[in-house]
PDB file of all heavy atoms in Angstrom:
ATOM      1  N   ARG M 353     -32.274  66.065  23.315  1.00  0.00           N
ATOM      2  CA  ARG M 353     -32.084  65.588  24.740  1.00  0.00           C
ATOM      3  C   ARG M 353     -33.366  64.863  25.220  1.00  0.00           C
ATOM      4  O   ARG M 353     -33.229  63.795  25.843  1.00  0.00           O
ATOM      5  CB  ARG M 353     -31.826  66.805  25.649  1.00  0.00           C
ATOM      6  CG  ARG M 353     -31.530  66.474  27.074  1.00  0.00           C
ATOM      7  CD  ARG M 353     -31.831  67.653  27.961  1.00  0.00           C
ATOM      8  NE  ARG M 353     -33.186  68.092  27.908  1.00  0.00           N
ATOM      9  CZ  ARG M 353     -34.256  67.455  28.308  1.00  0.00           C
ATOM     10  NH1 ARG M 353     -34.206  66.372  28.954  1.00  0.00           N
ATOM     11  NH2 ARG M 353     -35.424  68.045  28.156  1.00  0.00           N
ATOM     12  N   GLN M 354     -34.525  65.314  24.844  1.00  0.00           N
ATOM     13  CA  GLN M 354     -35.846  64.607  25.154  1.00  0.00           C
ATOM     14  C   GLN M 354     -35.735  63.292  24.516  1.00  0.00           C
ATOM     15  O   GLN M 354     -36.174  62.220  25.186  1.00  0.00           O
ATOM     16  CB  GLN M 354     -36.960  65.428  24.723  1.00  0.00           C
ATOM     17  CG  GLN M 354     -37.226  66.717  25.494  1.00  0.00           C
ATOM     18  CD  GLN M 354     -38.428  67.480  24.981  1.00  0.00           C
ATOM     19  OE1 GLN M 354     -39.474  66.949  24.684  1.00  0.00           O
ATOM     20  NE2 GLN M 354     -38.286  68.740  24.863  1.00  0.00           N
ATOM     21  N   GLU M 355     -35.337  63.250  23.286  1.00  0.00           N
ATOM     22  CA  GLU M 355     -35.372  61.951  22.565  1.00  0.00           C
ATOM     23  C   GLU M 355     -34.393  60.971  23.200  1.00  0.00           C
ATOM     24  O   GLU M 355     -34.686  59.802  23.317  1.00  0.00           O
ATOM     25  CB  GLU M 355     -35.059  62.171  21.089  1.00  0.00           C
ATOM     26  CG  GLU M 355     -35.086  60.911  20.257  1.00  0.00           C
ATOM     27  CD  GLU M 355     -34.861  61.130  18.787  1.00  0.00           C
ATOM     28  OE1 GLU M 355     -34.662  62.320  18.365  1.00  0.00           O
ATOM     29  OE2 GLU M 355     -34.780  60.096  18.033  1.00  0.00           O
ATOM     30  N   TRP M 356     -33.265  61.473  23.558  1.00  0.00           N
ATOM     31  CA  TRP M 356     -32.218  60.639  24.258  1.00  0.00           C
ATOM     32  C   TRP M 356     -32.759  60.110  25.555  1.00  0.00           C
ATOM     33  O   TRP M 356     -32.610  58.858  25.856  1.00  0.00           O
ATOM     34  CB  TRP M 356     -30.920  61.424  24.427  1.00  0.00           C
ATOM     35  CG  TRP M 356     -29.847  60.618  25.025  1.00  0.00           C
ATOM     36  CD1 TRP M 356     -29.527  60.495  26.373  1.00  0.00           C
ATOM     37  CD2 TRP M 356     -28.842  59.932  24.299  1.00  0.00           C
ATOM     38  NE1 TRP M 356     -28.430  59.671  26.503  1.00  0.00           N
ATOM     39  CE2 TRP M 356     -27.982  59.336  25.326  1.00  0.00           C
ATOM     40  CE3 TRP M 356     -28.619  59.741  22.959  1.00  0.00           C
ATOM     41  CZ2 TRP M 356     -26.895  58.499  24.965  1.00  0.00           C
ATOM     42  CZ3 TRP M 356     -27.441  58.986  22.643  1.00  0.00           C
ATOM     43  CH2 TRP M 356     -26.644  58.374  23.541  1.00  0.00           C
ATOM     44  N   ASP M 357     -33.410  60.931  26.293  1.00  0.00           N
ATOM     45  CA  ASP M 357     -33.853  60.456  27.674  1.00  0.00           C
ATOM     46  C   ASP M 357     -34.970  59.495  27.476  1.00  0.00           C
ATOM     47  O   ASP M 357     -35.111  58.520  28.312  1.00  0.00           O
ATOM     48  CB  ASP M 357     -34.540  61.713  28.452  1.00  0.00           C
ATOM     49  CG  ASP M 357     -33.332  62.645  28.873  1.00  0.00           C
ATOM     50  OD1 ASP M 357     -32.200  62.221  28.924  1.00  0.00           O
ATOM     51  OD2 ASP M 357     -33.707  63.775  29.214  1.00  0.00           O
ATOM     52  N   GLN M 358     -35.834  59.588  26.450  1.00  0.00           N
ATOM     53  CA  GLN M 358     -36.976  58.707  26.298  1.00  0.00           C
ATOM     54  C   GLN M 358     -36.668  57.396  25.559  1.00  0.00           C
ATOM     55  O   GLN M 358     -37.174  56.361  25.918  1.00  0.00           O
ATOM     56  CB  GLN M 358     -38.130  59.441  25.540  1.00  0.00           C
ATOM     57  CG  GLN M 358     -38.696  60.625  26.284  1.00  0.00           C
ATOM     58  CD  GLN M 358     -39.700  61.398  25.503  1.00  0.00           C
ATOM     59  OE1 GLN M 358     -40.354  60.862  24.649  1.00  0.00           O
ATOM     60  NE2 GLN M 358     -39.840  62.661  25.710  1.00  0.00           N
ATOM     61  N   ASN M 359     -35.724  57.492  24.593  1.00  0.00           N
ATOM     62  CA  ASN M 359     -35.406  56.390  23.751  1.00  0.00           C
ATOM     63  C   ASN M 359     -34.127  55.723  23.924  1.00  0.00           C
ATOM     64  O   ASN M 359     -33.720  54.651  23.529  1.00  0.00           O
ATOM     65  CB  ASN M 359     -35.599  56.684  22.342  1.00  0.00           C
ATOM     66  CG  ASN M 359     -36.993  57.195  21.968  1.00  0.00           C
ATOM     67  OD1 ASN M 359     -37.914  56.936  22.746  1.00  0.00           O
ATOM     68  ND2 ASN M 359     -37.072  57.892  20.906  1.00  0.00           N
ATOM     69  N   GLY M 360     -33.156  56.535  24.686  1.00  0.00           N
ATOM     70  CA  GLY M 360     -31.851  56.047  24.842  1.00  0.00           C
ATOM     71  C   GLY M 360     -30.911  56.157  23.610  1.00  0.00           C
ATOM     72  O   GLY M 360     -29.829  55.617  23.663  1.00  0.00           O
ATOM     73  N   LYS M 361     -31.455  56.759  22.640  1.00  0.00           N
ATOM     74  CA  LYS M 361     -30.682  56.985  21.331  1.00  0.00           C
ATOM     75  C   LYS M 361     -31.294  58.080  20.536  1.00  0.00           C
ATOM     76  O   LYS M 361     -32.347  58.549  20.942  1.00  0.00           O
ATOM     77  CB  LYS M 361     -30.668  55.629  20.562  1.00  0.00           C
ATOM     78  CG  LYS M 361     -32.134  55.203  20.153  1.00  0.00           C
ATOM     79  CD  LYS M 361     -32.010  53.935  19.317  1.00  0.00           C
ATOM     80  CE  LYS M 361     -33.462  53.525  18.906  1.00  0.00           C
ATOM     81  NZ  LYS M 361     -33.426  52.288  18.043  1.00  0.00           N
ATOM     82  N   ILE M 362     -30.562  58.404  19.450  1.00  0.00           N
ATOM     83  CA  ILE M 362     -31.096  59.406  18.559  1.00  0.00           C
ATOM     84  C   ILE M 362     -31.269  58.893  17.184  1.00  0.00           C
ATOM     85  O   ILE M 362     -30.361  58.225  16.694  1.00  0.00           O
ATOM     86  CB  ILE M 362     -30.118  60.653  18.429  1.00  0.00           C
ATOM     87  CG1 ILE M 362     -29.946  61.354  19.922  1.00  0.00           C
ATOM     88  CG2 ILE M 362     -30.578  61.690  17.456  1.00  0.00           C
ATOM     89  CD1 ILE M 362     -31.112  61.926  20.387  1.00  0.00           C
ATOM     90  N   ALA M 363     -32.474  59.050  16.639  1.00  0.00           N
ATOM     91  CA  ALA M 363     -32.673  58.582  15.207  1.00  0.00           C
ATOM     92  C   ALA M 363     -32.229  59.704  14.408  1.00  0.00           C
ATOM     93  O   ALA M 363     -32.939  60.591  13.917  1.00  0.00           O
ATOM     94  CB  ALA M 363     -34.207  58.316  15.025  1.00  0.00           C
ATOM     95  N   ILE M 364     -30.877  59.605  14.014  1.00  0.00           N
ATOM     96  CA  ILE M 364     -30.258  60.672  13.366  1.00  0.00           C
ATOM     97  C   ILE M 364     -30.782  60.919  11.937  1.00  0.00           C
ATOM     98  O   ILE M 364     -31.014  62.060  11.550  1.00  0.00           O
ATOM     99  CB  ILE M 364     -28.711  60.430  13.233  1.00  0.00           C
ATOM    100  CG1 ILE M 364     -28.117  60.434  14.619  1.00  0.00           C
ATOM    101  CG2 ILE M 364     -27.969  61.389  12.331  1.00  0.00           C
ATOM    102  CD1 ILE M 364     -26.649  60.190  14.719  1.00  0.00           C
ATOM    103  N   TRP M 365     -31.105  59.852  11.215  1.00  0.00           N
ATOM    104  CA  TRP M 365     -31.704  59.945   9.903  1.00  0.00           C
ATOM    105  C   TRP M 365     -33.037  60.701   9.964  1.00  0.00           C
ATOM    106  O   TRP M 365     -33.372  61.626   9.133  1.00  0.00           O
ATOM    107  CB  TRP M 365     -31.821  58.679   9.219  1.00  0.00           C
ATOM    108  CG  TRP M 365     -32.426  58.761   7.843  1.00  0.00           C
ATOM    109  CD1 TRP M 365     -33.685  58.372   7.452  1.00  0.00           C
ATOM    110  CD2 TRP M 365     -31.794  59.364   6.653  1.00  0.00           C
ATOM    111  NE1 TRP M 365     -33.890  58.622   6.112  1.00  0.00           N
ATOM    112  CE2 TRP M 365     -32.754  59.247   5.624  1.00  0.00           C
ATOM    113  CE3 TRP M 365     -30.634  59.942   6.473  1.00  0.00           C
ATOM    114  CZ2 TRP M 365     -32.505  59.714   4.341  1.00  0.00           C
ATOM    115  CZ3 TRP M 365     -30.339  60.482   5.163  1.00  0.00           C
ATOM    116  CH2 TRP M 365     -31.288  60.332   4.117  1.00  0.00           C
TER     117      TRP M 365
END
Side-chain angles (χ1 to χ4, degrees):
R353 186 202 54 75
Q354 290 178 46
E355 184 177 356
W356 182 271
D357 289 345
Q358 294 174 30
N359 303 339
K361 61 180 181 179
I362 298 296
I364 294 178
W365 178 251

